[in-house]
Amino acid sequence: MSNQLFDAYFTSAPMRAVFSDRGRLQSMLDFEAALARAEAAVGLIPEAAVAPIAEACVAERFDVAALAQAIATAGNSAIPLVKALGQRIAAVDADAERYLHLGATSQDAMDSGLVLQLRAAVALFESELAQLAEDLAVQAERHAGTPLAGRTWLQHATPVTLGMKLAGLLGAFTRQRRRLAELKPRLLVLQFGGAAGTLAALGEQALPVSEVLARELDLGLPEQPWHTQRDRLAEFAGWLGLLAGTLGKLGRDLSLLMQTDVGEVFEPLAPGKGGSSTMPHKRNPVGAAVLIGAATRAPGLVATMLAAMPQEHERSLGLWHAEWETLPELCCLLSGALQQARLLLPGLEVDAARMRENLDLTQGLVLAEAVSIALARRLGRERAHHLVEQCCRQAIAEGCHLRAALGADPEVSAELSAAELERLLDPSHYLGLAQRWVARAVAEHRATHC
């Protein structure tokens, strides 16, 4: 539901327009106009009835407040809309009004209308995701060799690069884009089954009308109506949940890197952004908050869509109704998170010097693995691990650099020269395949055309 105070923060304006009252009404009206054209095309209704019907199918001509009141007693939005539409048509051409909504049911108009809205939503997601992925690719390449502390269990581990962290996200977004491309043909299909799914009211013309109607709306024609088979919508909701999780991962890591005690990466500055009502010094990760918030809210909405799947018989009571606001809310929520992510990435502020300072906080301990592996080739794994572990404990106890503790150990210094130790304890020499992962992720992104 639209909320003027929070919409600009949590929702993108284009997605809110898709799922606005006008958007909902117009999508159902588009279905009704297309149905008239399809039925006229196969000779089921007079061609003369099409124009009066189509010309009345303009959302702005309907009283949303009156329709909302009528929905409270009608039980769905199509019943009062079709009634109001019929009255408008009858005022111009009473004969044409007789052919409105012929053979269809309320759920046909609402579900097909929803699919038209989802098609617009998918197009927005595709565009935003492609641009977000490119933003990530640019930053990943830029920082492919920028070392920072890897963190496991929230503790310093071996060094990674910022580019590698971003490349991991880029790979996830590339997979999300591909998943969306794969599910589109299953999602963007016509719903047209009449009262109980048989289209009996249209007789032998039922399938020809369905085929033309699908072409009119540029939707796929499914093998049968899907009034109570909701896997298509649930699959899309699941995809939105996955997207929320990936965006949440971006927001979580960025917010952790922005902590005062870490101070390695920051959201771009903007007037009035990230301040506090009482603390002038604050620089809060307000964009990351939206990403984390969306990742927190989305699972519950996805769960509602999954819970609504076991719908009764041929038409559902209550479970169908549970979908009406849930899926649009998911779309709007994710659009806002994507919008915030796109605002964050191009202007990321990276403090490489602070990253190096943080790498040095443990005075070489994060490179203990590198030394242990080098020694293992000469002394064996178990002996090497024991020696380096002892030196690490000594360095911690004495507050000295690991280099000093290693150099003072006669067994270590007999195997590794001062120059070798210096190299082994340099983070830039222990980045493994980090830069290759960046190149591979960027190549996969650039090869993805969807």
Side-chain angles (χ1 to χ4, degrees):
M1 187 163 57
S2 180
N3 186 317
Q4 291 184 36
L5 285 177
F6 295 129
D7 262 9
Y9 190 37
F10 289 112
T11 301
S12 76
M15 191 67 76
R16 178 57 72 195
V18 169
F19 291 105
S20 64
D21 290 333
R22 183 205 172 280
R24 294 169 198 262
L25 292 178
Q26 191 58 57
S27 65
M28 288 188 287
L29 292 168
D30 288 344
F31 168 83
E32 297 294 347
L35 177 60
R37 291 194 296 271
E39 291 178 337
V42 302
L44 193 61
I45 70 173
E47 184 65 38
V50 173
I53 292 174
E55 287 168 6
C57 290
V58 179
E60 286 80 3
R61 296 176 183 172
F62 293 85
D63 186 337
V64 173
L67 288 173
Q69 288 297 317
I71 289 168
T73 52
N76 69 55
S77 57
I79 292 172
L81 177 63
V82 171
K83 181 178 179 181
L85 177 59
Q87 292 170 347
R88 284 193 164 275
I89 295 166
V92 176
D93 188 328
D95 189 57
E97 188 272 337
R98 294 190 295 133
Y99 301 107
L100 172 67
H101 199 65
L102 184 63
T105 192
S106 299
Q107 191 167 349
D108 292 334
M110 290 183 65
D111 277 353
S112 288
L114 173 63
V115 171
L116 294 178
Q117 290 177 286
L118 292 178
R119 181 170 64 193
V122 165
L124 289 172
F125 282 129
E126 287 176 323
S127 174
E128 287 291 294
L129 277 170
Q131 293 175 66
L132 175 63
E134 182 58 26
D135 293 340
L136 269 172
V138 169
Q139 292 285 18
E141 288 183 314
R142 180 177 298 153
H143 297 288
T146 305
L148 76 162
R151 293 170 170 95
T152 61
W153 288 45
L154 294 176
Q155 308 299 307
H156 279 203
T158 54
V160 297
T161 73
L162 179 58
M164 174 184 148
K165 289 175 76 73
L166 296 174
L169 287 162
L170 176 58
F173 283 117
T174 297
R175 292 189 293 279
Q176 306 295 20
R177 293 171 65 201
R178 290 176 175 173
R179 290 186 183 105
L180 182 57
E182 290 163 5
L183 69 82
K184 271 175 65 178
R186 294 187 290 273
L187 176 68
L188 303 182
V189 296
L190 177 71
Q191 171 72 289
F192 186 50
T198 65
L199 284 175
L202 301 184
E204 294 299 315
Q205 297 284 50
L207 192 54
V209 168
S210 299
E211 292 169 343
V212 178
L213 178 56
R215 288 199 300 272
E216 284 285 335
L217 294 172
D218 195 23
L219 296 175
L221 181 64
E223 81 289 348
Q224 58 188 299
W226 44 278
H227 287 141
T228 50
Q229 300 297 337
R230 312 305 282 181
D231 56 289
R232 291 176 170 88
L233 301 184
E235 181 183 18
F236 182 55
W239 177 82
L240 290 166
L242 288 174
L243 179 61
T246 301
L247 287 164
K249 162 67 172 168
L250 169 60
R252 183 75 71 189
D253 279 1
L254 177 57
S255 62
L256 290 171
L257 293 172
M258 276 188 70
Q259 289 183 110
T260 306
D261 314 84
V262 180
E264 295 178 351
V265 183
F266 299 89
E267 293 185 6
L269 278 172
K273 181 179 180 181
S276 164
S277 62
T278 59
M279 295 174 282
H281 70 282
K282 290 293 292 293
R283 185 174 178 181
N284 293 321
V286 294
V290 174
L291 275 56
I292 296 169
T296 304
R297 291 171 59 191
L301 296 169
V302 175
T304 298
M305 293 299 297
L306 294 174
M309 285 187 68
Q311 299 193 2
E312 309 89 346
H313 302 304
E314 282 63 56
R315 299 282 295 284
S316 177
L317 170 71
L319 295 177
W320 176 48
H321 300 66
E323 300 172 350
W324 293 354
E325 291 187 310
T326 303
L327 196 52
E329 184 177 351
L330 257 175
C331 289
C332 289
L333 180 64
L334 268 297
S335 74
L338 271 174
Q339 176 178 262
Q340 289 291 338
R342 290 221 52 236
L343 291 172
L344 296 177
L345 285 168
L348 272 185
E349 294 183 21
V350 176
D351 190 338
R354 181 64 178 267
M355 290 176 178
R356 184 57 191 248
E357 287 176 23
N358 288 341
L359 273 170
D360 292 336
L361 280 176
T362 59
Q363 301 196 82
L365 294 180
V366 294
L367 278 306
E369 181 191 70
V371 179
S372 181
I373 288 174
L375 272 178
R377 295 192 180 101
R378 305 176 190 188
L379 301 176
R381 179 189 176 280
E382 195 166 329
R383 183 58 184 161
H385 187 276
H386 175 73
L387 282 171
V388 175
E389 185 177 44
Q390 290 297 108
C391 289
C392 286
R393 290 177 179 174
Q394 180 185 344
I396 293 169
E398 297 178 2
C400 67
H401 198 283
L402 180 59
R403 184 189 304 105
L406 290 167
D409 186 286
E411 197 170 351
V412 174
S413 59
E415 300 296 335
L416 298 173
S417 68
E420 286 177 301
L421 281 176
E422 192 68 32
R423 179 176 174 81
L424 287 169
L425 294 173
D426 183 347
S428 64
H429 292 143
Y430 201 65
L431 298 175
L433 295 177
Q435 295 188 59
R436 184 172 295 184
W437 299 152
V438 172
R440 287 165 67 93
V442 171
E444 282 289 298
H445 155 64
R446 299 264 160 81
T448 301
H449 304 289
C450 54

